[in-house]
Amino acid sequence: MVYLGLFVAAFIAATLLPAQSEALLAGLIVDGYTMWALLAVASVGNVLGSLLNWWLGRELTRFSDRRWFPVKPAALARARAWYGRYGKWSLLLSWLPVVGDPLTLAAGVMRERLSTFLILVGIAKTARYAVVAAIALRYV
């Protein structure tokens, strides 16, 4: 159940919803759970949450002319400009708070290839959790 909870927390933290999972990961490591399993579960959950953003970016932009569309045209234009300027390599910053999740959405809007997206986001998200795990291990 602990691993499922971490997966859900990591998944939600990667979406556009405000959440975080690093403290949970660190706490579970300090409590003695298997670090490698926790790292894998958190990374997979976080990458899948980012994949949801990518998919939303790809699919929902076809509705951008509708009144109910949640993203303002100016915000969509900024996301396109950012991603157009920095390209796929900006996905290595997808681990950052505040800007990381919108980057994954922008990658979908810009129709980034799924394989490229998964590799770059996987590297970024796993590296961030590895740093959190390394810090938590100092308190074990």
Side-chain angles (χ1 to χ4, degrees), residues 49-70:
S50 294
L51 181 59
L52 175 63
N53 293 341
W54 175 86
W55 179 81
L56 287 171
R58 284 183 71 92
E59 297 300 319
L60 290 181
T61 53
R62 63 183 159 165
F63 301 111
S64 62
D65 60 336
R66 308 279 170 83
R67 252 187 328 173
W68 55 263
F69 190 71

Side-chain angles (χ1 to χ4, degrees), residues 69-103:
F69 190 71
V71 180
K72 303 281 186 247
L76 195 56
R78 280 194 306 277
R80 282 187 169 133
W82 167 269
Y83 199 81
R85 184 175 187 188
Y86 298 106
K88 64 185 174 190
W89 300 110
S90 65
L91 290 171
L92 291 172
L93 300 176
S94 63
W95 64 271
L96 287 170
V98 181
V99 298
D101 299 334
L103 272 175

Side-chain angles (χ1 to χ4, degrees), residues 5 11 22 24 31 35 44 47 60 75 86 89 92-93 98 130 140:
F11 182 92
E22 295 81 7
L24 179 58
D31 282 349
M35 192 260 319
V44 169
V47 170
L60 290 181
Y86 298 106
W89 300 110
L92 291 172
L93 300 176
V98 181
V140 174

Side-chain angles (χ1 to χ4, degrees), residues 99-116:
V99 298
D101 299 334
L103 272 175
T104 61
L105 183 77
V109 169
M110 298 301 289
R111 301 262 194 248
E112 185 60 64
R113 288 182 41 206
L114 178 59
S115 59
T116 302

